[in-house]
Amino acid sequence: MDWHQIFATRNDRMKASEIRELLKLLEQPDIISFAGGIPDPDLFPAQAFQRAFADALTPETQATALQYSVSEGYPPLRDWIVGEMARLGIPCTRDNILITSGSQQALDYLGKLLLSPGDTALVGWPTYLGALGAFNAYEPRYDRLDPETNRSAEDYAQAAGAGRVKFAYMSVDFANPTGRTLDAGTRERVIDLADALDIAVIEDAAYQSLRYEGEALSPVLAREIARKGDINNCRTLYCGSFSKTLAPGLRVGWVCGAQEVISQLVLLKQAADLHSSTINQMAIAQVASEQFDTHVATIKSAYSARRDVMLDALARHMPEGVTWTRPEGGMFIWLELPTKVNTAELLAQSLTSERVAFVPGHAFFADGSGTHTMRLSFSRTDAAMINEGIARLGRLIAAATV
Ligand code: PMP
């Protein structure tokens, strides 16, 4: 049977990438991988979760923990998040929060909520690959969000053609894949642009808690509330996650925004999966209440040391003509090589001759450009392996750039 004949058109843009196929090789034990971008499992608060799951499964608690629950999310967890949002300068109530199965699900729902086929999503060049994956199913066009330039709202609107610009998506702190952080002025300009275009802003805050140096910058949503007085008057939708701070396997994230949007997202959640796992939300609520700050301090000190080792190794081993970002937090460093180097080809070579993995950058560009860029993650590799891996990569790149 030719299944493609009956697949809906929205599948046309959803293809397994060659890179993902190559990255399957990472399972091999002798590969030094800078590809993942996932937390170090040795840093999971496993004992705290052991207690939290045991507490959720006592005779008194199991009836709640194993039962269906409300689509909006487990109320004590939403209350904890309300406190966390207040600390970030985002006053809100429980009704402004929807718990999702990871922030990835929030991106899918926001695509579903906002995009009709042919509408335009403004995204960074490059941007988080998983966001493109989530939005692709809703058949959008992409345009380059460039708030650091003077491109006018009219110009963005005109470029949208027959559709309409619907939102600007961005990862504001220590972005995946670049590690860059948007400065205060740029955050303010994003709000101006969104107001002028009358569109939503999707603020992806997946790495927000992982700052290793410098002053925290208030989120776009906090700035918009400062201008407009109330979250319910705001167009920014803040997507948070416990994946990088506590444990990605439990799949718990959230959206915080105007109640009108949250109520509509709740309907999408009901249609898709009714609610996120009750027991996982209970466990996250307990572990977050007990030790969010102390645990985050522990992982920040481990990751920031690895970032420093990688930056230092890059300075020693990269040849002339290679530049990279200096992230103030998160998990990623972004490299730009001379344009003649194709990093997808370099990866194939690297996996065979050097046994080092990274992610070629072009996958993060909606227009497929960026073939000379790459993303390195420092979150899962110890110092000795980072030094060894970067030395090997430096050799390979030096040979490719002569
Ligand atoms: N946003 C960004 C920028 C990410 O890097 C990731 C995970 N890699 C996610 C969202 C999704 O994370 P999760 O669904 O685990 O919250």
Side-chain angles (χ1 to χ4, degrees):
M1 175 167 178
D2 184 1
W3 282 102
H4 288 276
Q5 291 296 322
I6 60 167
F7 284 171
T9 52
R10 71 181 68 92
N11 294 278
D12 294 351
R13 308 250 302 262
M14 306 187 69
K15 296 202 172 76
S17 75
E18 281 162 50
I19 293 159
R20 284 193 190 267
E21 295 305 306
L22 269 178
L23 293 177
K24 284 186 187 154
L25 297 173
L26 299 189
E27 306 304 318
Q28 297 169 12
D30 65 324
I31 298 258
I32 300 177
S33 178
F34 302 131
I38 58 178
D40 184 340
D42 291 341
L43 297 170
F44 290 150
Q47 282 181 350
F49 276 116
Q50 220 166 39
R51 282 194 306 274
F53 278 100
D55 290 348
L57 292 171
T58 67
E60 296 75 41
T61 55
Q62 59 85 23
T64 306
L66 299 177
Q67 190 55 281
Y68 285 118
S69 55
V70 293
S71 301
E72 289 83 346
Y74 180 57
L77 177 60
R78 281 154 68 218
D79 290 344
W80 186 89
I81 292 169
V82 165
E84 187 62 16
M85 299 310 296
R87 286 208 296 181
L88 295 171
I90 300 172
C92 64
T93 69
R94 208 193 257 185
D95 296 331
N96 298 110
I97 311 282
L98 167 70
I99 304 292
T100 53
S101 298
S103 55
Q104 190 65 32
Q105 187 178 53
L107 298 178
D108 174 47
Y109 289 171
L110 289 169
K112 199 175 205 172
L113 181 72
L114 297 167
L115 293 169
S116 298
D119 280 341
T120 290
L122 304 180
V123 298
W125 250 230
T127 196
Y128 169 49
L129 177 60
L132 296 176
F135 303 149
N136 278 345
Y138 303 105
E139 305 175 85
R141 295 161 57 146
Y142 293 106
D143 194 358
R144 179 176 189 167
L145 174 65
D146 228 348
E148 280 149 19
T149 66
N150 288 329
R151 189 174 166 197
S152 68
E154 293 73 44
D155 197 59
Y156 281 105
Q158 255 169 22
R164 183 188 183 305
V165 184
K166 286 297 183 65
F167 61 77
Y169 163 82
M170 74 221 152
S171 165
V172 287
D173 295 296
F174 337 119
N176 181 359
T178 63
R180 288 196 186 105
T181 297
L182 294 189
D183 64 29
T186 307
R187 291 174 196 225
E188 296 290 346
R189 275 197 297 284
V190 168
I191 303 172
D192 295 339
L193 178 66
D195 281 345
L197 284 168
D198 193 17
I199 59 171
V201 174
I202 301 178
E203 178 173 30
D204 185 333
Y207 299 91
Q208 201 275 334
S209 305
L210 299 183
R211 174 174 282 282
Y212 313 138
E213 65 176 51
E215 283 287 302
L217 286 160
S218 63
V220 177
L221 179 53
R223 291 165 191 277
E224 199 187 355
I225 294 172
R227 290 188 193 191
K228 299 178 184 169
D230 187 319
I231 190 171
N232 294 315
N233 299 332
C234 290
R235 55 180 74 252
T236 304
L237 305 164
Y238 177 105
C239 300
S241 176
F242 290 101
S243 290
K244 315 298 173 181
T245 49
L246 296 182
L250 299 183
R251 311 305 304 128
V252 181
W254 71 94
V255 187
C256 175
Q259 220 171 315
E260 195 180 339
V261 177
I262 298 296
S263 316
Q264 194 64 29
L265 289 171
V266 168
L267 300 181
L268 298 186
K269 178 112 185 121
Q270 274 165 5
D273 66 352
L274 300 180
H275 62 81
S276 293
S277 156
T278 316
I279 192 169
N280 289 3
Q281 293 183 69
M282 290 171 76
I284 290 270
Q286 181 165 326
V287 174
S289 311
E290 280 172 10
Q291 53 166 271
F292 189 79
D293 287 350
T294 48
H295 181 69
V296 168
T298 307
I299 61 175
K300 285 203 310 193
S301 104
Y303 293 150
S304 72
R306 290 174 195 173
R307 175 202 63 162
D308 293 346
V309 171
M310 188 173 274
L311 286 171
D312 191 52
L314 286 166
R316 275 182 289 118
H317 297 294
M318 284 300 143
E320 192 88 351
V322 178
T323 59
W324 55 92
T325 54
R326 190 180 188 290
E328 293 185 330
M331 298 182 170
F332 306 108
I333 296 175
W334 178 250
L335 267 64
E336 293 196 22
L337 278 54
T339 46
K340 71 171 183 178
V341 183
N342 178 310
T343 50
E345 287 165 15
L346 197 73
L347 174 64
Q349 233 180 316
S350 180
L351 288 171
T352 28
S353 68
E354 302 294 343
R355 312 297 283 162
V356 176
F358 54 84
V359 183
H362 82 94
F364 300 98
F365 287 81
D367 66 347
S369 63
T371 52
H372 63 296
T373 59
M374 68 166 72
R375 188 193 77 181
L376 299 178
S377 165
F378 49 80
S379 58
R380 264 203 81 178
T381 318
D382 67 26
M385 283 296 157
I386 291 174
N387 275 316
E388 176 60 28
I390 297 296
R392 292 188 200 173
L393 206 52
R395 259 195 327 257
L396 188 72
I397 293 173
T401 51
V402 282

